């Protein structure tokens, strides 16, 4: 997700205009009151044993991590000591002209700590944790007399984009089954899923800018950047490596993947699906 974000927003020509005006290092407050760290840290510092131990003893982020990311952001963004002349660059210029390993670092910091205009990676983990907390609270409630069983008061479904890429038809059927149930017919779901699959494959073959899978990062000078180098940069990063690893564990738990051992053992298997070109649905 982090590499795809860098690939997409550093592309030429500009795809989304906001990258021309974004201020990735600015402190942002929601409704002028709460900062992003103030919103997230109470959740991230709790113990979540069911999420591979991510929590109090191994929080997704420590309080000091936000400052560390801010300091590093300022070292990369509009800092002439880092790159002469860059004090006049906008965010997009940085993604284009910094060394790609620095560009992906800056873009990922924006995806973590810029709460209003970014922060998608941490927001994703926060949403997963909060939804699970709601499920647990409802499971403990006495719903007698409400007319709605506790287990029916909230339903969540977490799907991986990789699954949609692998099986766009089957995953669409699965989503429609979850979201609409019997509100539409099986035949209608099949037609929707078929149209989605055809649309997706047309976009893939046509080189749609929103699809980054299988595309390489290319520098302004035409050099191709090995995506494994960018992944290694993030995984070995002193701060981002730990944060992204913990977010990955939370997401994997929600997707039903087995937890990785501390020594890196264990496997992440793609959830088996039924629902190729001739199937009605999928199962996990």
């Amino acid at each position: 997700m982090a590499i795809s974000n860098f690939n997409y927003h550093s592309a030429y020509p500009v795809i989304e205009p906001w990258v021309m005006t974004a201020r990735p290092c600015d402190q942002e407050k929601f409704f002028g009151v709460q900062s992003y760290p103030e919103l997230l840290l109470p959740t991230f510092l709790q113990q979540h044993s069911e999420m591979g131990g991510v929590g109090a003893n191994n929080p997704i982020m420590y309080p000091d991590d936000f400052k560390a990311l801010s300091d590093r952001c300022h070292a990369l963004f509009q800092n002439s000591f880092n790159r002469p002349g860059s004090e006049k660059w906008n965010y997009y210029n940085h993604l284009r002209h910094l060394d790609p390993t620095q560009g992906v670092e800056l873009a990922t910091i924006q995806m973590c700590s810029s709460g209003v205009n970014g922060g998608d990676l941490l927001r994703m983990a926060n949403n997963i944790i909060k939804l699970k907390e709601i499920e647990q609270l409802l499971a403990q409630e006495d719903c007698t007399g409400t007319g709605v069983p506790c287990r029916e008061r909230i339903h969540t479904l977490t799907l991986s984009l990789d699954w949609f890429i692998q099986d766009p038809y089957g995953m669409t059927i699965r989503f429609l089954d979850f979201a609409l149930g019997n509100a539409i017919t099986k035949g209608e779901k099949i037609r929707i899923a078929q149209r989605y699959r055809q649309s997706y494959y047309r976009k893939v073959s046509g080189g749609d800018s929103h699809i980054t899978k299988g595309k390489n990062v290319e520098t302004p000078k035409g050099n191709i950047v090995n995506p494994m180098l960018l992944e290694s940069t993030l995984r070995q990063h002193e701060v981002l490596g730990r944060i992204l690893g913990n977010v990955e564990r939370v997401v994997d738990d929600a997707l039903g993947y087995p937890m990785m051992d501390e020594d890196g053992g264990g496997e992440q298997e793609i959830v088996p699906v039924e629902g190729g070109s001739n199937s009605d649905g999928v199962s996990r």
Side-chain angles (χ1 to χ4, degrees):
M1 182 175 175
I3 295 173
S4 175
N5 168 67
F6 171 59
N7 190 344
Y8 179 72
H9 290 117
S10 65
Y12 178 83
V14 174
I15 301 173
E16 294 184 354
W18 68 265
V19 298
M20 307 297 289
T21 57
R23 305 284 304 176
C25 307
D26 287 359
Q27 185 180 34
E28 300 170 319
K29 290 198 172 184
F30 289 78
F31 306 105
V33 179
Q34 283 186 296
S35 68
Y36 203 43
E38 290 171 338
L39 286 171
L40 294 180
L41 285 173
T43 297
F44 286 175
L45 292 175
Q46 296 175 25
Q47 181 65 40
H48 303 283
S49 58
E50 72 279 3
M51 296 179 181
V54 173
N57 298 324
N58 180 31
I60 292 177
M61 292 185 72
Y62 292 98
D64 289 344
D65 287 340
F66 280 100
K67 183 180 185 307
L69 291 180
S70 176
D71 290 347
R72 182 57 182 158
C73 188
H74 284 288
L76 291 169
F77 185 71
Q78 295 185 339
N79 187 337
S80 60
F81 292 101
N82 175 59
R83 182 72 178 265
S86 68
E87 68 274 8
K88 298 180 180 179
W89 290 357
N90 58 32
Y91 178 58
Y92 176 72
N93 293 149
H94 283 74
L95 299 187
R96 290 287 295 169
H97 296 290
L98 284 177
D99 181 273
T101 58
Q102 294 179 323
V104 74
E105 182 185 6
L106 178 62
T108 306
I109 290 173
Q110 192 267 348
M111 283 276 280
C112 285
S113 59
S114 184
V116 176
N117 296 308
D120 294 14
L121 284 166
L122 297 187
R123 189 176 296 110
M124 174 176 61
N126 180 76
N127 291 347
I128 290 173
I129 294 171
K130 286 301 185 185
L131 286 170
K132 187 175 285 288
E133 287 180 353
I134 294 172
E135 289 178 327
Q136 293 171 341
L137 287 172
L138 289 178
Q140 298 169 8
E141 283 191 4
D142 181 4
C143 299
T144 305
T146 65
V148 180
C150 281
R151 65 179 181 276
E152 297 297 328
R153 295 173 69 181
I154 180 171
H155 297 268
T156 60
L157 175 68
T158 304
L159 298 175
S160 166
L161 186 57
D162 284 340
W163 301 349
F164 275 95
I165 292 171
Q166 191 177 60
D167 183 12
Y169 174 91
M171 286 298 105
T172 303
I173 291 289
R174 184 172 175 185
F175 167 74
L176 292 172
D177 283 340
F178 172 80
L180 299 179
N182 296 324
I184 63 174
T185 66
K186 183 177 181 179
E188 288 173 316
K189 292 176 184 176
I190 291 173
R191 286 191 290 273
I192 293 171
Q194 288 173 338
R195 287 198 299 270
Y196 174 79
R197 179 181 57 196
Q198 292 168 358
S199 173
Y200 172 70
Y201 286 143
R202 279 198 301 269
K203 289 180 178 180
V204 171
S205 61
D208 189 278
S209 61
H210 285 81
I211 298 174
T212 59
K213 183 175 176 62
K215 296 181 181 178
N216 293 312
V217 175
E218 185 174 338
T219 69
K221 294 183 178 180
N223 298 320
I224 301 300
V225 182
N226 185 345
M228 296 301 294
L229 171 63
L230 301 181
E231 180 177 347
S232 176
T233 296
L234 294 177
R235 289 193 179 277
Q236 296 177 17
H237 194 280
E238 182 179 0
V239 181
L240 288 173
R242 171 170 43 79
I243 295 171
L244 296 179
N246 284 330
V247 169
E248 185 176 36
R249 293 172 72 180
V250 171
V251 173
D252 285 352
D253 176 81
L255 293 172
Y257 286 143
M259 288 294 106
M260 299 292 286
D261 299 332
E262 290 186 2
D263 61 359
E267 295 183 356
Q268 292 185 355
E269 298 179 354
I270 294 294
V271 173
V273 297
E274 301 168 0
S277 56
N278 300 314
S279 177
D280 295 337
V282 298
S283 62
R284 183 168 86 175

